[in-house]
């Protein structure tokens, strides 16, 4: 039976990963995800988990070791943050192209520079288009649940894609929260042993990662695109199974007071919980405000988004990352593209918030929503605004 | 129907582009890339095997008498063998 625990979320994520019985863990420490692999190494050292813990010399090697392990048919896990993710970049795209279901926790952190160890989403956004499934947790419980779900989604025979679970650095990784931790029997029931589609074995040789000349590369890309788009079906199935077994509901876009909302805010990650409090306050004032919490970033839930914003006049999209020289934040770019062809769509505002660990308080969210509410009459001049930047 | 050498449509691409048949790269005849072919003059050859060692394609083999020749199905015409053969036994000749 699940047990209620109070634990730092990074440690809980490690406990959840251990319950999934990974065969190989290869990781290199980097703030703020460090406690995840550190705690896993303790779990292996204590003999609670029979896994190969590879202390690699870099993140590039961590992801390479995961590629090799997964290619040999092992369940592989790693975790990283920020520059570590960038150092893995070369292997990230290779892993998804080879359809290796590696699971990775990303304790999201800003990219240098200036050197920052604090949280925003610029690390994962820089690796947005690499063909991984990306989930975003809003709190400790979601981190635990999504870590376990990630293995089942990644390894599903119709998916076979690497999956990353994103949790905000410090704001989640270093926070102690009460959570329900499933037990081994429950996780074993939910997550079957990994059955690789093909594995490297000298007795039955296969080629992984072959050369793709121009006469096949395009078809290979199309096949990757199709499988990633179709993975949404499996993700929804896995979330349904999770809800049936554990009673906690997951959906690509979780609404909060959104049903009759005229002004909707959209968040991704831990700031959703602060934004909820802002919505409560504004509702008390009589404003029809609501919130959408995006949990599934890749594959992007186009249909669900269209459905969710149907009744709204204004949509305020928050981003924890800036696409320098582009049209704002990556989430807003995606949302605008998703809704562009719709005959009736809300006015869309984009606020870039919480860069490099800048706090965003309830008052700030309230101010953003109040300003946005006026945008119905007067459309914003700019495509986006960096909220609270000192001028 | 003869087995296809490689997939034509995206639906035929194996997951992860995994190739299940060992040695399938032999089906790809890199010899079609060639603009020049190497011609051996065995009267100058001292049978040192340098050409055999340096060929990046691994397509040079030794015959019963100890002389060397390229398999033109795979020889890309890079000219490395001719460059490395210090007695000058190999000449690159333009393909017609
Ligand atoms: S390198 Fe020249 S001399 Fe040496 S074996 Fe080849 S052809 Fe003969
Ligand atoms: S030309 Fe290049 S590929 Fe051809 S035999 Fe010589 S070294 Fe090998």
């Amino acid at each position: 039976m699940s047990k209620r625990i109070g634990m730092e979320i990074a440690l809980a994520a490690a406990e959840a990963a251990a319950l999934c019985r990974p065969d190989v863990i290869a990781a290199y420490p980097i703030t703020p995800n460090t406690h995840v692999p550190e705690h896993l190494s303790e779990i292996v050292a204590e003999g609670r988990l029979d896994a190969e813990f590879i202390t690699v010399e870099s993140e590039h090697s961590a992801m390479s070791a995961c590629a090799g392990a997964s290619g040999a048919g092992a369940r592989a896990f790693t975790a990283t943050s920020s520059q570590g993710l960038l150092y893995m970049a070369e292997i990230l795209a290779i892993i998804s192209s080879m359809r290796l279901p590696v699971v990775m926790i990303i304790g999201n952190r800003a990219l240098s520079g200036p050197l920052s160890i604090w949280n925003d989403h610029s690390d994962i956004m820089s690796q947005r288009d690499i063909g991984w499934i990306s989930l975003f947790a809003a709190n400790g419980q979601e981190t635990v649940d999504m870590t376990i779900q990630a293995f089942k989604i990644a390894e599903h025979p119709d998916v076979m894609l690497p999956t990353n679970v994103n949790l905000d650095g410090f704001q989640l990784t270093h926070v102690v929260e009460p959570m329900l931790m499933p037990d081994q029997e429950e996780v074993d029931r939910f997550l079957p042993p990994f059955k690789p589609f093909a594995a490297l074995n000298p007795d039955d040789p296969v080629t992984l990662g072959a050369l793709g000349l121009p006469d096949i590369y395009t078809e290979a890309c199309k096949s990757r695109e199709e499988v990633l788009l179709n993975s949404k079906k499996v993700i929804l199935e896995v979330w349904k199974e999770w809800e049936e077994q554990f009673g906690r509901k997951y959906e690509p876009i979780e609404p909060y007071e959104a049903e009759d909302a005229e002004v909707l805010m959209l968040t991704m990650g831990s700031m959703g919980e602060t934004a909820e409090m802002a919505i409560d306050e504004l509702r008390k004032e009589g404003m029809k405000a609501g919130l959408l919490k995006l949990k599934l970033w890749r594959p992007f839930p186009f249909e669900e988004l269209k459905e969710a914003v149907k009744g709204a006049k204004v949509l305020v999209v928050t981003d924890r990352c800036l696409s320098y020289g582009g049209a704002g934040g990556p989430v807003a770019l995606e949302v605008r593209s998703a809704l562009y062809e719709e005959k009736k769509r809300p006015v869309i505002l984009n606020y870039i918030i919480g860069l490099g660990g800048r706090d965003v308080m309830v008052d700030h969210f309230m101010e953003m929503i109040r300003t946005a509410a006026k945008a119905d009459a007067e459309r914003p001049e700019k495509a986006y605004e960096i909220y609270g930047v000192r001028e | 129907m003869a087995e296809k050498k490689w997939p034509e449509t995206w639906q035929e691409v194996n997951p992860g582009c995994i190739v299940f048949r060992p040695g399938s790269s032999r089906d790809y005849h890199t010899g079609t890339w060639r603009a020049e072919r190497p011609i051996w003059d065995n009267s100058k050859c001292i049978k040192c095997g340098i050409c055999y060692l340096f060929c990046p394609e691994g397509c040079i083999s030794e015959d019963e008498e100890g002389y060397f020749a390229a398999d033109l199905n795979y020889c890309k015409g890079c000219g490395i063998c001719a460059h490395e053969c210090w007695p000058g036994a190999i000449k690159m000749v333009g393909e017609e």
Side-chain angles (χ1 to χ4, degrees), chain A residues 225-242:
Chain A
E225 162 80 342
E226 285 293 321
V227 76
L228 185 51
L229 288 173
N230 287 332
S231 71
K232 195 177 86 183
K233 198 171 143 269
V234 174
I235 295 166
L236 297 180
E237 268 170 37
V238 168
W239 279 348
K240 190 106 208 86
E241 283 171 43
W242 183 269

Side-chain angles (χ1 to χ4, degrees), chain B residues 29-40 51 54-60 69-84 90-95:
Chain B
H29 287 176
T30 46
T32 57
W33 302 1
R34 197 175 55 240
E36 289 185 326
R37 69 168 65 193
I39 304 287
W40 270 256
C51 54
F54 273 81
C55 173
E57 198 56 36
C59 72
I60 297 177
D71 181 340
L72 294 176
N73 279 326
Y74 302 103
C75 165
K76 297 186 284 200
C78 66
I80 288 173
C81 52
H83 180 81
E84 294 297 335
I90 309 173
K91 273 207 165 53
M92 299 304 291
V93 181
E95 291 285 355

Side-chain angles (χ1 to χ4, degrees), chain A residues 328-348:
Chain A
V331 180
L333 287 170
E334 207 74 31
V335 167
R336 281 205 174 97
S337 300
L339 300 177
Y340 184 76
E341 299 293 347
E342 296 300 290
K343 285 206 179 65
K344 188 178 163 295
R345 59 179 145 86
V347 174
I348 300 169

Side-chain angles (χ1 to χ4, degrees), chain B residues 40 44-52 68 84-85 87 89-90:
Chain B
W40 270 256
K44 290 185 187 161
C45 174
I46 59 162
K47 301 181 178 176
C48 64
I50 288 286
C51 54
Y52 165 83
F68 291 84
E84 294 297 335
C85 172
I90 309 173

Side-chain angles (χ1 to χ4, degrees), chain A residues 156-179:
Chain A
H156 191 285
D158 294 342
V159 178
M160 299 190 299
L161 283 172
T163 302
N164 53 57
V165 177
N166 293 271
L167 52 147
D168 288 325
F170 294 111
Q171 282 151 4
L172 292 183
T173 54
H174 286 56
V175 165
V176 176
E177 248 186 46
M179 286 164 269

Side-chain angles (χ1 to χ4, degrees), chain A residues 59-60 63-64 67 87-96 132:
Chain A
E59 287 86 357
H60 188 279
M63 199 36 88
S64 300
Y87 198 11
M88 285 178 177
E90 186 184 4
I91 318 299
L92 295 178
I94 292 174
I95 287 203
S96 55
W132 283 53

